[in-house]
Amino acid sequence: MPRAGQVKPPVEERLSDRIALGVLTRAFPAELVDEVVVETGRVEQRIRLLPARVTVYFVLAMCLFSGQAYEEVARLLTEGLAWAGRWRGRWEVPSTGAISRARARLGPEPLRALFGRVCRPVATPDTVGAWYRGRRLVAVDGTTLDVADTPANDMFFGRPGSGRGEKKGAFPQVRLVVLAECGTHAVFAAATGACTVAETVLADTLLPHLKPGMLLLADRGFPGYDRWKTAAATGADLLWRVASNVVLVVREQYPDGSYLSEIYAAGDRRRVHGQRVRVVEYTVAGHEEAGPVRLITTILDPDQAPAAELAALYHERWEVEGVLDEIKVHQRGPDVVLRSRYPDGVEQEVYGFLLVHHAVRQVMHEAAAQAGTDPDRLSFTRSLRVVRRQVPAQAAFSP
């Protein structure tokens, strides 16, 4: 079992084979980092070996090379700048304890603020695969991440249930819910919480990030009257799957096979305050025994979105599953436990992973746009390797 934040690399790596922060400092320039440091009140009162700006970049580098030790990551930050001699005296690699203290001083707020300033949907009108009839395709979903097994993390995040031993999981877990752009995999809103908090509770906090012109896809675990009403009030269109036991009365049948119905709050037994929805039902070839898939949408006019197109479109929701896989498996590593020993550090680390993922996805979108192809045709794993292979000389800051 790996230690928190550590895995044994499959092959021996040379430091020169890896990068500093070329892409990341382009996505998150020093001036912007300084702004969020000031905005969140994390400016130092005295000169330190690890000032706040460098600590932000350290967290990003730590999430780019998630399996590497603290001191190894610190070397990556400054190796490419040694030729410049821009600092007085000899800058020494900080100890693990010094880095931990610097991260604690920084807290999660600057990383969260940086995410809010930078992470937006990136698709342009010309982006292949990002749109449906002028609507930007986005999806919501959640996952959990194992965190370091410490009393503080255990108390704050809790553990999942288990069918073995003490009936508890091996590690505490943080729950993460994201809104992501389906065509580019860019995460533009996120919320974290204890693993005991339901995904839908965290998803509710993300709904204000929806905008008119978006089409939100969601699985059957998310629909609910109040959630639907709140999401629809943003002006975004919705296409959500509903469970087979939800009662949907046919009010009007349309030529394309869809029909008009209403959904009601659980407490509205007289069915007085309904929300009108259009229902699309279909079966998946080869899985007919599973029964029909039922979708509800705010797009009530079949001419704007024919039923057959919505049935095919709904499967774009799986793109958000790919986003979470990229972060958990390829970027973090399949056997890596988040290394932070305290809840604030865990949140800081999670936002670090999200920021790095967004920077890589932004580069991939630019490359796909230049080639005139769908960003889905590019490999995230290969792109991540390209980012990691950049020379340390591309780092854009000095201690």
Side-chain angles (χ1 to χ4, degrees), residues 19 21-28 64 118-123 127 181 183-187 326 354-390 394:
I19 71 158
L21 294 174
V23 167
L24 301 185
T25 45
R26 190 187 73 166
F28 316 113
L64 183 59
V118 174
C119 296
R120 298 282 189 273
V122 300
T127 301
E181 191 174 42
T184 65
H185 287 204
V187 176
E326 289 166 2
L354 292 172
L355 287 163
V356 170
H357 180 269
H358 193 277
V360 175
R361 271 292 167 183
Q362 199 167 32
V363 170
M364 292 174 66
H365 176 259
E366 292 170 2
Q370 291 177 6
T373 189
D374 190 331
D376 285 346
R377 299 298 298 270
L378 304 183
S379 166
F380 177 81
T381 302
R382 290 182 179 180
S383 302
L384 185 62
R385 289 172 183 165
V386 169
V387 172
R388 286 173 172 166
R389 284 199 301 266
Q390 292 179 79
Q394 289 184 338

Side-chain angles (χ1 to χ4, degrees), residues 174-190:
V174 57
R175 188 175 300 282
L176 170 67
V177 177
V178 302
L179 279 175
E181 191 174 42
C182 296
T184 65
H185 287 204
V187 176
F188 62 94

Side-chain angles (χ1 to χ4, degrees), residues 186-208:
V187 176
F188 62 94
T192 62
C195 70
T196 53
V197 177
E199 282 186 359
T200 51
V201 173
L202 295 177
D204 288 343
T205 68
L206 302 182
L207 297 181

Side-chain angles (χ1 to χ4, degrees), residues 32 59 63 98 104 130 144-145 148 172 189-190 212 218 241 246 292 307 338 364 376 384 398:
L32 177 59
V59 173
C63 295
T144 56
L145 300 165
R241 185 177 178 180
V246 174
L338 298 190
M364 292 174 66
D376 285 346
L384 185 62
S398 155

Side-chain angles (χ1 to χ4, degrees), residues 198-222:
E199 282 186 359
T200 51
V201 173
L202 295 177
D204 288 343
T205 68
L206 302 182
L207 297 181
H209 293 275
L210 297 174
K211 306 292 182 185
M214 291 182 175
L215 175 55
L216 176 66
L217 311 178
D219 202 1
R220 55 189 164 190
F222 287 90

